[in-house]
Amino acid sequence: MKAFTYQRADTTAHAAAATAKPGAKIIAGGTNLLDLMKLQVETPSQLIDINHLPLDKVEETSEGGLRIGALVRNSDLAADPRVRQRYGVLSRALLAGASAQLRNKATTGGNLLQRTRCYYFYDITKPCNKRSPGAGCAALEGFNRIHAILGTSEQCIATHPSDMAVAMRALDAIVETVDRKGDTRTIPIAEFHRLPGDTPEIETSLKPGEIITAVALPPPPRGVQVYRKVRDRASYAFALVSVAAIVDSARGRIRSARLAFGGLAHKPWRSPQAEQELVNAAVGTSTFNAAANAVLDGARGFGDNDFKIPLTRRTLHSVLAETTGT
C-alpha cells in the first residue's frame, strides 16, 4: 500500500469537490477499496472520509417507496422491516452478498461502486484495459470461468460483482447524486452502470466531482419476489449466475415480470424482451424457454465460461417455477 493523506468531509458538496482532485478517493466502509489499495490496483494520494455525513437513514417517500442513504450499511438495509416486507428481493440479495462482518461495514453507495473481481484486474503484473487502458485484456485468452457472456467487448469481459445492484435493477431504483457545486441529479439505475465498449475503465455515469448521496426505490411492484444466486461454494462467493425476479401470476398465466441478472455482464443485466415473452403467457416450460432464449440472445462464451449459457437457462427455469408456484 502506498502512502496517502486523509481528510474528513464536512458536507456532501465538500466531499464531491474533494474527489474532483486527481488521486482523491472516497472511503466509507472500505471493504473493496482497501483490498485494491493493498494490491496497488488503486493508489490514491488522498482519502476523503464521508462516514460522518448524514447519509445513513432509510426513509419513506411521499410516493410510497423508500429513500436509502448512501451510508446505510448492508446489514441494516437487509434487516430493515420495510425492506424485508416490501422489497424481499433486495433483502435476500444483500444477505447472499457477503459475510456478516462485511455487511456490517459495506455501504449502499459503495456496493454500487464496487469494482470487478476479475483475476487479471487484481493482478498488476497482467495486462488489463480496465486498470491500464490500452494494455489489453488477459482474460480473453486466459482463465475466464467467472467472466461475462453478455454485453462484452474486445476490450473487456469482466462482470459486475454486486448482488444488491441486481435486485435494485429489478426494482427500477434511482441513484441520487450531488456534485462539487452542490447541484443534485437523479440517474435511473439502468443508466448508472456502463457496458465496457472501448472504455472499460469508465464504469459508471458519475461525472468527476460527483458522489452518490442516496438510492430511491419506487413503490414495490406486485408479484412474488425471488433472488437466486448460483456460486461455486455455499459460503460467500461471487455469483456465477444470479437472478432477481418479480413475477405476478394468477390462474396459470403471468401478468407481469421483471428479471435482472448478475454474473453475466459488466453491469446488472435486464432483458425487456424476456419480460415481454412472459407477459400474458401461460405458465409452463415453453414460456420459460422463450424467456431464456430472449435473455441469452447474443450470449457468447470464451471457453472456460461456456457453461454459463446452459446454467443461466436452468437457473431462470427454476426461478420462474418458484415465482409462479409450478
Side-chain angles (χ1 to χ4, degrees), residues 69-118:
L71 291 177
V72 173
R73 307 293 162 167
N74 288 176
S75 289
D76 293 334
L77 186 59
D80 188 289
R82 295 163 295 185
V83 175
R84 293 178 63 189
Q85 292 166 14
R86 290 150 54 184
Y87 304 95
V89 66
L90 176 57
S91 182
R92 295 184 187 100
L94 286 162
L95 293 173
S99 67
Q101 294 92 332
L102 287 173
R103 292 198 305 270
N104 288 342
K105 292 293 291 181
T107 62
T108 299
N111 195 305
L112 289 177
L113 293 172
Q114 65 180 301
R115 308 198 70 186
T116 184
R117 265 53 178 193
C118 171

Side-chain angles (χ1 to χ4, degrees), residues 183-259:
D183 295 333
T184 60
R185 183 163 72 112
T186 58
I187 309 169
I189 197 165
E191 301 171 13
F192 183 77
H193 297 103
R194 293 166 50 112
L195 291 176
D198 294 329
T199 55
E201 74 279 8
I202 304 175
E203 298 173 342
T204 73
S205 57
L206 287 178
K207 301 173 183 177
E210 184 178 29
I211 66 170
I212 298 172
T213 55
V215 178
L217 298 180
R222 292 182 58 178
V224 177
Q225 300 185 22
V226 167
Y227 186 75
R228 179 75 57 83
K229 180 177 181 178
V230 181
R231 46 193 165 184
D232 277 326
R233 60 183 188 272
S235 60
Y236 296 102
F238 296 99
L240 297 171
V241 176
S242 65
V243 183
I246 306 172
V247 179
D248 182 26
S249 64
R251 295 183 291 277
R253 300 195 76 83
I254 297 171
R255 295 187 289 208
S256 65
R258 300 186 186 194
L259 302 172

Side-chain angles (χ1 to χ4, degrees), residues 29 40 58 69 76 112 117 137 145 151 178 221 288 291 309 313 316:
Q40 297 189 23
V58 180
D76 293 334
L112 289 177
R117 265 53 178 193
C137 176
R145 187 172 188 275
V178 67
F288 300 168
I309 295 175
R313 183 179 297 277
L316 179 58

Side-chain angles (χ1 to χ4, degrees), residues 31-33 35-36 39 41-42 110-123 127-132 137 139 146-148 155-162 193-194 196 200-204 238-239 263-267 308:
T31 56
N32 186 201
L33 178 59
D35 284 344
L36 295 172
L39 295 170
V41 175
E42 295 270 16
N111 195 305
L112 289 177
L113 293 172
Q114 65 180 301
R115 308 198 70 186
T116 184
R117 265 53 178 193
C118 171
Y119 317 118
Y120 303 101
F121 173 72
Y122 267 68
D123 185 347
C128 172
N129 288 319
K130 181 180 288 293
R131 192 182 63 246
S132 180
C137 176
I146 65 171
H147 288 73
Q155 304 300 314
C156 182
I157 59 171
T159 58
H160 193 275
S162 173
H193 297 103
R194 293 166 50 112
E201 74 279 8
I202 304 175
E203 298 173 342
T204 73
F238 296 99
L264 302 185
H266 197 259
K267 60 184 288 185
K308 283 194 176 187

